[in-house]
Amino acid sequence: MTGANNNKLKIFSGRANRPLAESIARHLGVPLGNLNLGNFPDGESSVRIDEDVRGRDVFIVQPTCPPVNENLMELLIILDAFKRASPARVTAVIPYYGYARQDRKDTGRVPISAKLVADLLTTAGAHRVLCLDLHAAQIQGFFNIPVDHLYAVKEVTAHVRTLGITSDDLVVLSTDEGNVKKALLYQRRLGGQIAVVDKRRASAEETKAAHLIGAPLVNKTVVIFDDMISTASSMVNAVEVARKQGAKKIYVCATHGLLCGPAVDRLREAPVEQIAVTDSIPISKDKLDKLPNLKQISVAPLMADAIRRIHGNESISDLFKDETPPVERRGEGR
């Protein structure tokens, strides 16, 4: 076997989001690798690589979405299995990075879980990490290995353009002050005006929206952007503010559709025309049936292109030449 052939790209998938991994593999024109995954009788994860990966460039697709602990542990065990199988490089492709909310010590006696997960991934055997729309961009700094941070802004804005909203009619609404930078990015691409919901958090699960800052919403079409929808408390509060402020139509967009707990019921009752999320996280048929206005946007082409560039030692930043901010990579300037 020649050296060139021995360094071929290989894509493997955990059980968290196999449909996305299959789609990425199709866009790359390579078969999904053979990985035998199961559970021992006591629930422990069982992993066996069913093909030779010595000297190969391996990419493992596994978002750490709910059930977070199971999917994270499975990813760590998969990484350990590959570390012991002598590939040339292992890249953890994590479309959704769990434990990202605790990225700093903002009160006494709490962990920085995002840093802990970064250490676990590195120790388990990841040489590189590829993420999509991290909840906090500074998480890249928790790693001592290269981190490529992708944004789904092109894919989401392309979808919004199909809705036929004119610039004069559009107001981009941010769910809170912390999300303004991302909302401005969408507003620059789509046009229109921008407004921000002044959010007050009641607890980790509940938020209360106080009032609106920015452009008036009377008789406007409002598009609300956020990086994720978890319990949908923030999103539904923003929808309610928009409705009370006189918006005629409201659309909701987010990268990660976690849809935990009461999220589906809240969104089903909310006065929104459409809810758009990417396929970074799988959504069950039951949830899709309850939310007929939910649209999934594929990020497989974006992630496949990034993987192709990493494998070929090409620039990832070129994917985001017209973006602000560009792709963020730990240790590099913008």
Side-chain angles (χ1 to χ4, degrees), residues 143-154:
F143 288 87
N144 292 318
I145 56 176
V147 177
D148 293 304
H149 185 195
L150 303 179
Y151 295 89
V153 62
K154 283 187 178 179

Side-chain angles (χ1 to χ4, degrees), residues 53-248:
V53 294
R54 183 176 293 271
R56 301 295 181 100
D57 193 8
V58 171
F59 293 80
I60 303 163
V61 181
Q62 176 85 333
T64 51
C65 52
V68 180
N69 293 341
E70 287 184 26
N71 288 329
L72 173 59
M73 195 65 203
E74 181 174 274
L75 174 57
L76 296 174
I77 295 172
I78 292 171
L79 286 168
D80 186 77
F82 277 99
K83 179 173 69 174
R84 300 171 192 281
S86 303
R89 178 175 62 183
V90 179
T91 300
V93 180
I94 310 175
Y96 171 73
Y97 187 95
Y99 283 107
R101 291 181 185 83
Q102 288 187 301
D103 62 319
R104 63 194 181 279
K105 193 170 180 180
D106 54 359
T107 186
R109 297 177 296 281
V110 296
I112 304 178
S113 306
K115 166 63 174 167
L116 171 62
V117 170
D119 289 343
L120 290 170
L121 291 167
T122 305
T123 300
H127 298 114
R128 191 179 197 99
V129 171
L130 177 63
C131 293
L132 176 70
D133 274 343
L134 287 168
H135 186 62
Q138 64 264 28
I139 288 171
Q140 295 167 94
F142 295 161
F143 288 87
N144 292 318
I145 56 176
V147 177
D148 293 304
H149 185 195
L150 303 179
Y151 295 89
V153 62
K154 283 187 178 179
E155 288 68 26
V156 175
T157 51
H159 168 71
V160 174
R161 287 193 183 105
T162 67
L163 302 175
I165 307 169
T166 64
S167 180
D168 291 341
D169 188 39
L170 172 66
V171 176
V172 172
L173 181 62
S174 174
T175 54
D176 57 40
E177 298 92 331
N179 199 43
V180 170
K181 189 174 181 180
K182 188 168 290 185
L184 282 167
L185 181 58
Y186 283 106
Q187 185 261 338
R188 279 194 290 269
R189 294 182 66 90
L190 293 167
Q193 297 176 289
I194 191 163
V196 183
V197 174
D198 181 18
K199 184 176 74 174
R200 300 286 185 262
R201 182 165 289 280
S203 68
E205 296 80 25
E206 297 291 332
T207 57
K208 293 182 179 180
H211 57 274
L212 187 76
I213 303 169
L217 307 185
V218 178
N219 292 324
K220 295 288 188 177
T221 298
V222 172
V223 182
I224 306 172
F225 294 97
D226 208 344
D227 64 320
M228 70 172 73
I229 302 176
S230 182
T231 64
S233 176
S234 296
M235 190 63 78
V236 171
N237 278 335
V239 169
E240 188 62 22
V241 169
R243 187 188 63 79
K244 288 180 178 178
Q245 293 288 330
K248 63 179 179 181

Side-chain angles (χ1 to χ4, degrees), residues 300-321:
L302 170 65
M303 305 212 76
D305 201 357
I307 289 170
R308 184 184 296 111
R309 288 169 180 269
I310 291 170
H311 177 63
N313 295 316
E314 299 174 23
S315 172
I316 301 291
S317 299
D318 286 349
L319 287 171
F320 299 87
K321 277 183 176 178

